[in-house]
């Protein structure tokens, strides 16, 4: 039989050569620009201010839960149906669809966690020009203008957001192709019927012409002129050697949004770009289209692996959000009336009394589907996070171990290699929780299998890890080797679960196994079957400490257009073009469900995905894909993860060290120091790179890396608490400074530093050879304490910090209490019963607050109220621990070993009072130079009530 490479077409050999060398950067020519994407080019050519859409106010209907209103395109007489809902939590939903489409248009399922509950709308006024509706109170209202159609959302006298204010609403109606027989018959019949109606009906019925406009037959005829102006790419489009047949013709939708008073917008990941989104007037729009992009370029709007169609807009008065629920290829244009103005120019405007209000205009363009947009009206950043979470859910609550350190490479060679790496961590006293296996661990790239020679006894390997309280992740990709001897392939084919090509056969493409089929994860029955394959009696060799990595799930197709699936592939009634961006979401969903089912529903899953969509946060973690061992890639990991956090996906990280190329020892150390303070902490490396386990760069660098990893482990109680809060509230774990300091413009564009929760500020060192960094410490009335030196600094200042190779600039907010575990062991599970140290950082008012959350770390029992959740507070020289979940029950063996209070004065004595009423004196030390008080061995149980009084 021919080998894989002998059977592979030359273009694929070239593609693999590029991948395996790890030397070349992305070939942007493999991916479309807007000009090469027919629908984007077509829509972008529309001129502002020439909207053909008019609202037919006589069709307006208002029920208790929704407003409906027909819109008409005066150019072609095609009617649309507008639906407007006021949702609970200060959200407005706007849907626009064809009134009578030739066939149903795709509406995205499964992303919303439920049908959003509505609240009543009511009329305020109406005239021939429009209608005004109340959004709960007279201060917040919607104005619908008739001609041209426009929708304004106002609060008081302020316009919060306008829709179609620039007249760029576009809705390409489904139609018959003009050169088909069926179209000609339809057009002829329509023409004859319309002539008959005009003769016999128009005189008797003055409304006949209006009725005719809504008649599908009339629409077919009146659209004929438009059809005769067929543009390239409307019914068929070619890119490179690939032709997209477009059987449904042009079907794009577009809508513009204006944001008065706004200069800063964020979100719409995934892009390797700054946190603050740039204007796109002089280049391509931001593209949302899940793609396998090899060693992506930085600071451009090219599409990457994830596509989250959510944008946040922020100024010092308000934060709002736009959630564009569409899973087709989407482009987002951003323009601003302040773009390009220098600070001096803005000052000049102010001095000269310029009345121009800053404004950002955003336009969304999608290839198919409908317009279904949720406008989240804040007003605070945390309100927007809650609003979005109410629609798509919160970040899943991960097992505690998954917040530890992960060691990965493509690929660990065999079981002996795994054992040696595992032992290396023990030898060098570096903790870790997970070791990972990439595609080479399988039997010939057949997922759910093990290489019979290199991994002959996987349970023995897993048992060895389990004995050390460690775990493993193995890759399971969604491309299935076409092989009659492969059980998974035979099952999927026999059940008809593969995606089909346009001719009805099973779609096949090339990926790592060679010829591969792609399961249709949009089918609930396919997902249920896939989940069942993770059962221990199906996935041979698996155990409860084996978890899953879903890679290549954009989906990646090496010989497909733009290295992905043909858009005219078929998922039941829908084309792949309609739902491309949601495919990876479904893969992770099915995998997570499989992990839950295998445990009988008791154990929390851990699944890492590369492709993501809105709602992916419910199923696990995301990483930023195939980065490179370059300083700029280290820097970009911060805004990339911040952007994902703003749109719900808190569990984010980047490959530590860079996937491609080989990092210098300095870069590797700095990357560990940065990764230790990002939510998902995994080192990973390409097959072609030299080994880079943490102890291979000399003892000095090993010590630096060890210290960074140990800092991560001491903070696991705080990380875990932040993920619990994210799960409960939707607030991001890793967040930009403006989220907690929304009225400080100095924070709005910062993306080289970040907050973990609200109480830790991190400014990693990301410059080669750096001898210092300048960190902005926010909050005019705040103080911040260096967590390493305990030195106090005032807020609202740029602070220069000298750095050495051991420096990781981290600050604790004055007014906070952070729990840590200082006894670092070989894995997080080994630290389960260890004691806590409380770091109490006082604000100028000499108060502080924090929380302590404890559960079993891995089951869903927290849903049954089996946890400890306590509020820690310091005021009037009394530190106390109070139960804030009195209906919850859980016990812990952990105790409070030490309390460090920063920013205090020396007491004469310290008294401890426990829940049973007993009082005792606590030993302490006081460092006057640092105003630091250390209480030693107070010894109370971490789950009990107690007070400590400074006298």
């Amino acid at each position: 039989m021919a080998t894989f490479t002998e059977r592979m077409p030359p273009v694929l050999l070239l593609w693999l050569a590029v991948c395996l060398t790890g030397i070349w950067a992305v070939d942007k020519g493999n991916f479309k620009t807007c000009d090469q994407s027919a629908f984007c080019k077509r829509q972008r050519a529309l001129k502002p201010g020439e909207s053909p859409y008019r609202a037919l106010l006589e069709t307006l209907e208002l029920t208790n839960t929704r407003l409906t209103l027909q819109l008409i395109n005066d150019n072609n007489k095609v009617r649309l149906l507008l639906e407007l809902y006021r949702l609970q939590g200060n959200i407005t939903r706007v849907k626009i669809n064809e009134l009578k489409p030739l066939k149903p248009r795709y509406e995205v399922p499964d992303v919303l966690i439920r049908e959003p509950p509505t609240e009543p709308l009511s009329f305020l006024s109406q005239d021939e020009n429009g209608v005004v509706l109340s959004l709960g109170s007279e201060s917040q209202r919607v104005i619908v203008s008739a001609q041209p159609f426009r929708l304004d959302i106002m609060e008081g006298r302020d316009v919060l957001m306008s829709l179609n204010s620039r007249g760029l609403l576009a809705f390409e109606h489904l139609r018959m192709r003009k050169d088909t027989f069926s179209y000609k018959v339809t057009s002829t019949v329509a023409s004859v019927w319309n002539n008959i109606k005009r003769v016999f009906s128009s005189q008797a019925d003055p409304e006949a012409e209006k009725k005719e406009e809504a008649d599908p037959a009339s629409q077919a005829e009146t659209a004929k002129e438009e059809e005769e102006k067929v543009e390239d790419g409307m019914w068929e489009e070619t890119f490179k050697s690939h032709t997209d047949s477009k059987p449904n013709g042009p079907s794009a939708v577009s809508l513009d949004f204006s944001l008065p008073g706004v200069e800063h917008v964020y979100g719409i990941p995934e892009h390797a770009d700054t946190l603050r989104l740039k204007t796109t007037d002089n280049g391509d729009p931001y593209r949302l289209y899940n793609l396998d992009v090899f060693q992506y370029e930085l600071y451009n709007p090219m599409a990457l692996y994830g596509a989250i169609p959510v944008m946040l807009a922020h100024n010092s008065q308000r934060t709002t959000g736009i959630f564009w629920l569409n899973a087709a290829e989407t482009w987002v244009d951003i323009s601003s009336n302040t773009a390009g103005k220098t600070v001096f120019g803005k000052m000049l405007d102010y001095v000269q009394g310029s009345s121009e209000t800053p404004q950002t205009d955003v336009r969304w363009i999608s290839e198919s589907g409908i317009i279904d947009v949720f406008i989240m009206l804040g007003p605070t950043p945390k309100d927007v996070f809650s609003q979005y979470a109410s629609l798509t859910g919160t970040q899943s609550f991960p097992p505690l171990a998954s917040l530890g350190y992960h060691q990965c490479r493509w690929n660990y060679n065999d079981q002996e290699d795994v054992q040696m790496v595992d032992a290396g961590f023990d030898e060098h006293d570096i903790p870790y929780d997970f070791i990972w296996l990439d595609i080479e661990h399988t039997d010939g790239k057949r997922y759910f299998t093990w290489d019979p020679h290199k991994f002959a006894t996987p349970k023995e390997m897993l048992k060895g890890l389990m004995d050390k309280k460690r775990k493993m992740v193995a890759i399971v990709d969604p491309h299935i080797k076409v092989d009659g001897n492969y059980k998974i392939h035979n099952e999927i084919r026999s059940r008809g679960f593969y995606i089909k090509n346009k001719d009805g056969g099973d779609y096949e493409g090339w990926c790592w196994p060679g010829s591969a089929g792609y399961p249709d994860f949009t089918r609930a029955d396919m997902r249920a079957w896939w989940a069942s394959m993770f059962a221990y009696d199906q996935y041979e060799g698996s155990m409860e400490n084996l978890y899953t990595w879903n890679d290549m799930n954009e989906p990646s197709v090496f010989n497909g257009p733009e290295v992905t699936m043909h858009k005219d592939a078929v998922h039941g009634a829908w084309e792949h073009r309609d739902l491309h961006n949601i495919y990876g979401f479904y893969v992770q969903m099915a995998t997570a469900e499989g992990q839950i089912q295998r445990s009988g529903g008791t154990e929390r899953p851990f699944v890492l995905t590369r492709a993501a969509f809105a709602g992916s946060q419910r199923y696990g973690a995301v990483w930023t894909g195939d980065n490179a061992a370059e300083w700029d890639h280290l820097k970009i990991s911060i805004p990339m993860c911040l952007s994902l956090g703003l749109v719900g996906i808190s569990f984010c990280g980047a490959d530590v060290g860079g996937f491609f190329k080989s990092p210098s020892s300095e870069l590797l150390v700095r990357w560990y120091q940065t990764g230790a303070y990002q939510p998902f902490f995994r080192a990973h490396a390409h097959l072609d790179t030299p080994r880079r386990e943490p102890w291979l760069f000399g003892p000095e660098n090993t010590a630096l890396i060890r210290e960074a990893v140990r800092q991560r482990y001491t903070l696991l109680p705080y990380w875990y608490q932040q993920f619990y809060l994210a799960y409960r509230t939707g607030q991001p774990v890793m967040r930009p400074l403006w989220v907690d300091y929304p009225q400080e413009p100095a924070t709005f564009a910062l993306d080289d530093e970040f907050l973990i929760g609200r109480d830790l500020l991190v400014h990693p060192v990301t410059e080669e050879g750096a001898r210092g960094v300048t960190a902005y410490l926010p909050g005019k009335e705040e103080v911040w304490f260096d967590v390493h030196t305990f030195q106090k600094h005032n807020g609202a200042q740029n602070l220069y910090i000298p750095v050495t190779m051991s420096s990781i600039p981290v600050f604790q907010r004055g007014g906070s209490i952070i729990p840590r575990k200082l006894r670092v062991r070989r894995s997080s599970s080994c630290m389960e019963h260890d004691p806590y140290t409380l770091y109490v950082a006082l604000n100028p008012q000499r108060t502080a607050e924090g929380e302590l959350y404890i559960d079993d770390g891995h089951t869903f029992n927290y849903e049954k109220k089996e946890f400890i959740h306590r509020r820690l507070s310091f005021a009037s020289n009394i530190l106390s621990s109070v139960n804030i979940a009195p209906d919850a029950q859980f016990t812990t063996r952990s105790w409070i070993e030490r309390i460090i209070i920063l920013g205090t004065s020396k007491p004469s004595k310290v008294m401890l009072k426990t829940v049973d009423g007993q009082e005792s004196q606590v030993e302490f030390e006081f460092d006057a130079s640092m105003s630091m008080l250390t209480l030693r061995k107070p010894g109370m149980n971490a789950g009990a009530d107690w007070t400590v009084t400074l006298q």
Side-chain angles (χ1 to χ4, degrees):
M1 179 179 287
T3 65
F4 169 41
T5 52
E6 285 170 339
R7 290 185 286 116
M8 185 174 280
V11 67
L12 297 183
L13 285 173
L14 177 61
W15 192 93
L16 272 184
V18 170
C19 283
L20 293 173
T21 58
I23 294 172
W24 301 349
V26 61
D27 180 358
K28 295 202 310 191
N30 287 329
F31 304 100
K32 290 182 180 179
T33 63
C34 179
D35 275 350
Q36 293 170 316
S37 179
F39 79 91
C40 182
K41 181 179 181 181
R42 197 163 57 243
Q43 295 298 323
R44 220 179 182 206
L46 297 179
K47 302 293 185 225
E50 299 178 5
S51 178
Y53 288 97
R54 171 166 52 95
L56 301 174
L57 296 180
E58 66 274 15
T59 66
L60 186 149
E61 296 182 11
L62 181 65
T63 68
N64 192 41
T65 59
R66 72 168 184 168
L67 172 143
T68 60
L69 176 67
Q70 291 181 29
L71 310 177
I72 190 168
N73 183 328
D74 282 328
N75 290 343
N76 59 24
K77 308 307 179 187
V78 173
R79 293 197 184 196
L80 307 177
L81 179 66
L82 166 77
E83 300 172 73
L84 189 144
Y85 302 83
R86 175 183 167 224
L87 305 182
Q88 287 182 9
N90 206 16
I91 306 170
T92 298
R93 184 181 193 178
V94 177
K95 292 180 73 172
I96 303 176
N97 197 354
E98 292 185 59
L99 179 64
K100 296 182 178 180
L102 286 178
K103 61 169 72 174
R105 297 179 69 115
Y106 187 72
E107 299 187 39
V108 179
D110 300 316
V111 167
L112 301 179
I113 55 175
R114 58 177 175 169
E115 189 61 29
T118 59
E119 293 186 343
L121 286 162
S122 59
F123 273 121
L124 290 178
S125 64
Q126 182 176 359
D127 60 23
E128 68 276 8
N129 297 317
V131 61
V132 182
L133 302 169
S134 169
L135 286 176
S137 67
E138 285 202 22
S139 66
Q140 199 171 91
R141 59 202 187 279
V142 175
I143 300 173
V144 182
S145 302
Q147 188 168 5
F149 163 70
R150 171 176 170 151
L151 194 151
D152 294 282
I153 299 176
M154 302 191 67
E155 187 168 270
R157 296 183 177 181
D158 296 327
V159 178
L160 302 182
M161 193 178 302
S162 299
L163 283 66
N164 202 39
S165 62
R166 301 174 69 212
L168 294 172
L169 167 65
F171 207 108
E172 296 182 333
H173 61 283
L174 299 180
R175 64 202 85 172
M176 304 292 287
R177 190 166 183 173
K178 69 175 185 177
D179 56 355
T180 63
F181 175 76
S182 58
Y183 181 89
K184 292 175 181 176
V185 171
T186 302
S187 297
T188 303
V189 171
S191 179
V192 172
W193 176 242
N194 287 332
N195 286 334
I196 293 172
K197 286 203 299 178
R198 287 192 183 98
V199 172
F200 293 103
S201 301
S202 59
Q203 292 182 350
D205 184 2
E207 296 296 311
E209 191 170 335
K210 291 181 181 177
K211 292 178 181 176
E212 176 185 315
E213 288 174 344
D215 185 8
S218 173
Q219 289 187 19
E221 172 61 20
T222 54
K224 185 175 180 181
E225 289 184 16
E226 181 181 293
E227 290 300 332
E228 290 171 349
K229 300 173 185 175
V230 173
E231 299 177 24
D232 287 344
M234 290 177 67
W235 292 92
E236 186 174 271
E237 182 174 358
T238 299
F239 178 69
K240 298 204 164 219
S241 61
H242 301 282
T243 298
D244 177 8
S245 62
K246 296 193 179 182
N248 293 315
S251 58
V253 297
S254 170
L255 184 60
D256 64 277
F257 300 78
S258 293
L259 304 162
V262 169
E263 293 184 83
H264 293 79
V265 289
Y266 313 89
I268 58 169
E270 182 176 34
H271 300 97
D273 209 344
T274 55
L275 175 65
R276 179 193 179 184
L277 298 170
K278 300 170 182 172
T279 57
T280 60
D281 294 334
N282 298 317
D284 261 11
Y286 284 96
R287 190 183 188 197
L288 293 171
Y289 192 56
N290 291 356
L291 292 172
D292 178 359
V293 183
F294 160 86
Q295 195 178 321
Y296 47 84
E297 280 190 7
L298 308 185
Y299 305 108
N300 69 49
M302 283 180 63
L304 290 179
Y305 316 95
I308 321 295
V310 180
M311 179 181 288
L312 276 66
H314 177 72
N315 61 25
S316 56
Q317 285 78 47
R318 194 177 198 102
T319 308
T320 56
I322 300 170
F323 172 27
W324 178 267
L325 183 52
N326 190 301
E329 179 185 347
T330 298
W331 299 77
V332 185
D333 251 326
I334 301 170
S335 58
S336 169
N337 63 357
T338 60
K341 284 191 177 180
T342 63
V343 174
F344 176 77
K346 292 178 183 178
M347 289 175 60
L348 195 63
D349 284 350
Y350 177 77
V351 171
Q352 294 177 344
S354 172
S355 60
E356 184 179 40
T357 301
Q359 179 166 305
T360 296
D361 297 306
V362 180
R363 186 186 184 196
W364 300 74
I365 307 168
S366 292
E367 184 175 15
S368 64
I370 69 166
I371 293 172
D372 188 1
V373 62
F374 297 83
I375 300 164
M376 300 170 286
L377 295 172
T380 71
K382 293 183 180 180
D383 289 328
V384 173
F385 301 140
S386 297
Q387 288 156 3
Y388 180 62
S390 74
L391 299 172
T392 67
T394 59
Q395 175 67 57
S396 62
F397 190 26
L400 174 59
S402 66
L403 301 180
Y405 173 63
H406 300 250
Q407 180 66 35
C408 184
R409 100 172 254 106
W410 175 24
N411 203 86
Y412 285 119
N413 300 324
D414 50 32
Q415 288 180 208
E416 183 181 4
D417 196 8
V418 169
Q419 188 176 16
M420 289 176 61
V421 172
D422 175 71
F425 278 89
D426 293 333
E427 179 185 347
H428 295 91
D429 194 24
I430 301 173
Y432 89 96
D433 269 86
F434 284 82
I435 190 165
W436 292 52
L437 296 178
D438 210 317
I439 56 177
E440 312 301 333
H441 84 278
T442 61
D443 181 8
K445 315 299 188 300
R446 298 169 181 86
Y447 303 107
F448 297 101
T449 71
W450 303 86
D451 185 299
H453 306 292
K454 296 178 179 180
F455 295 91
T457 55
K459 281 193 175 182
E460 182 180 307
M461 173 181 62
L462 290 165
K463 181 66 166 57
L465 293 170
M466 184 178 289
D467 289 343
K468 292 184 173 182
K469 297 191 175 182
R470 287 171 174 156
K471 299 168 175 62
M472 174 171 277
V473 172
I475 202 165
V476 178
D477 285 349
H479 50 263
I480 303 301
K481 184 177 178 66
V482 175
D483 176 357
N485 296 317
Y486 179 24
K487 178 185 77 170
I488 298 292
H489 164 69
N490 291 337
E491 282 277 318
I492 295 174
R493 175 161 284 181
S494 67
R495 294 169 185 261
F497 283 162
Y498 278 127
I499 296 169
K500 308 302 179 186
N501 60 37
K502 64 180 179 180
D503 299 318
D506 287 346
Y507 179 92
E508 290 186 13
W510 285 83
C511 209
W512 295 122
S515 186
Y518 291 78
D520 189 352
F521 284 91
T522 68
R523 295 178 54 165
D525 53 355
M526 164 60 211
R527 296 196 301 272
W529 176 84
W530 180 267
S532 73
M533 291 298 100
F534 288 90
Y536 300 125
D537 61 350
Q538 294 290 334
Y539 189 171
E540 294 183 14
S542 66
M543 290 176 58
E544 56 265 36
N545 65 332
L546 181 67
Y547 296 81
T548 311
W549 173 17
N550 292 149
D551 197 0
M552 316 296 286
N553 54 339
E554 292 73 29
S556 180
V557 183
F558 292 167
N559 62 333
E562 301 190 271
V563 200
T564 193
M565 186 167 287
H566 295 75
K567 288 182 175 180
D568 53 10
V570 178
H571 303 252
W574 307 108
E575 286 187 282
H576 186 71
R577 86 180 69 252
D578 298 316
L579 51 83
H580 172 88
N581 285 344
I582 204 173
Y583 185 80
F585 163 95
Y586 279 128
V587 176
Q588 190 185 23
M589 174 198 286
T591 303
E593 183 57 34
Q595 284 190 15
I596 295 169
Q597 285 181 13
R598 73 179 185 181
S599 71
T602 62
E603 296 289 325
R604 287 179 242 168
F606 172 71
V607 182
L608 179 73
T609 184
R610 191 168 70 177
F613 189 69
S616 287
Q617 66 270 13
R618 305 200 299 264
Y619 304 111
V622 171
W623 95 105
T624 62
D626 296 343
N627 60 2
E630 297 173 357
W631 287 93
D632 281 347
H633 277 262
L634 168 58
K635 293 173 194 173
I636 208 72
S637 71
I638 298 173
M640 289 182 77
C641 280
L642 288 174
S643 295
L644 284 162
L646 288 175
V647 299
I649 301 178
S650 273
F651 207 176
C652 168
D655 285 343
V656 169
F659 178 62
F660 290 111
K661 303 185 179 180
S662 299
S664 66
S665 58
E666 181 189 2
L667 175 57
L668 185 65
V669 167
R670 291 303 192 196
W671 213 316
Y672 268 98
Q673 293 171 342
T674 303
Y677 286 90
Q678 292 178 348
F680 176 55
F681 184 23
R682 181 186 76 156
H684 187 36
H686 189 276
L687 182 73
D688 232 22
T689 61
R691 295 289 284 256
R692 62 166 92 134
E693 283 73 37
W695 51 85
L696 297 179
F697 290 76
E700 289 185 6
N701 292 312
T702 300
L704 292 169
I705 292 170
R706 178 191 302 115
E707 175 57 24
V709 177
R710 288 175 66 87
Q711 286 187 35
R712 171 58 165 235
Y713 275 78
T714 65
L715 272 170
L716 282 181
Y718 183 71
W719 279 107
Y720 196 52
Q721 171 190 314
Q722 295 309 310
F723 268 92
Y724 179 70
L725 294 174
Y727 158 73
R728 290 290 300 273
T729 68
Q731 312 302 316
V733 173
M734 176 183 173
R735 58 182 74 158
L737 272 62
W738 63 260
V739 167
D740 288 275
Y741 297 89
Q743 295 181 320
E744 285 195 48
T747 68
F748 293 176
L750 289 178
D751 60 10
D752 59 353
E753 59 183 276
F754 53 90
L755 292 168
I756 304 168
R758 63 173 186 165
D759 294 334
L760 278 183
L761 185 153
V762 186
H763 191 301
V765 181
T766 58
E767 292 283 348
E768 185 175 12
R771 297 189 177 184
V773 298
T774 300
Y776 180 76
L777 303 181
K780 188 175 182 182
E781 307 299 326
E782 302 263 17
V783 293
W784 295 86
F785 293 86
D786 186 309
V787 301
H788 307 297
T789 67
F790 304 122
Q791 187 172 350
K792 182 170 70 174
H793 304 278
N794 292 325
Q797 67 157 321
N798 286 300
L799 178 69
Y800 179 77
I801 308 153
V803 298
T804 66
M805 277 305 298
S806 64
S807 301
I808 313 176
V810 181
F811 300 87
Q812 181 175 343
R813 186 180 63 85
S816 67
I817 302 175
I818 291 180
R820 296 182 183 231
K821 286 191 173 184
L822 301 186
R823 300 186 186 181
V824 176
R825 304 186 191 273
R826 65 173 172 246
S827 73
S828 62
S829 297
C830 294
M831 300 166 61
E832 179 181 2
H833 303 299
D834 283 349
Y836 291 90
T837 294
L838 303 181
Y839 286 79
V840 182
L842 301 184
N843 59 22
Q845 293 75 42
R846 292 173 61 87
T847 64
E849 281 202 347
E851 294 181 11
L852 178 62
Y853 177 85
I854 307 170
D855 63 17
D856 65 23
H858 58 94
T859 75
F860 285 104
N861 289 347
Y862 65 88
E863 294 178 345
K864 304 173 186 176
K865 299 289 185 178
E866 294 184 19
F867 60 82
I868 292 167
H869 196 188
R870 305 194 68 79
R871 175 170 291 114
L872 307 170
S873 59
F874 185 98
S876 303
N877 280 335
I878 298 174
L879 175 65
S880 60
S881 174
V882 178
N883 189 3
I884 54 175
D887 57 340
Q889 298 294 322
F890 191 72
T891 58
T892 179
R893 287 157 47 190
S894 297
W895 69 99
I896 307 300
E897 181 179 45
R898 187 183 293 106
I899 299 171
I900 297 173
I901 304 176
L902 306 174
T904 188
S905 54
K906 183 178 181 179
S908 58
K909 64 178 179 179
V910 178
M911 299 300 296
L912 166 67
K913 185 175 182 179
T914 53
V915 66
D916 56 8
Q918 294 196 2
E919 288 193 78
S920 58
Q921 200 161 322
V922 180
E923 296 179 18
F924 67 87
E925 294 177 3
F926 183 72
D927 183 339
S929 66
M930 301 304 299
S931 299
M932 180 174 73
L933 178 68
T934 302
L935 311 184
R936 299 198 177 278
K937 300 180 181 178
M940 52 283 201
N941 185 276
D945 287 349
W946 50 263
T947 59
V948 168
T949 304
L950 310 186
Q951 296 182 355

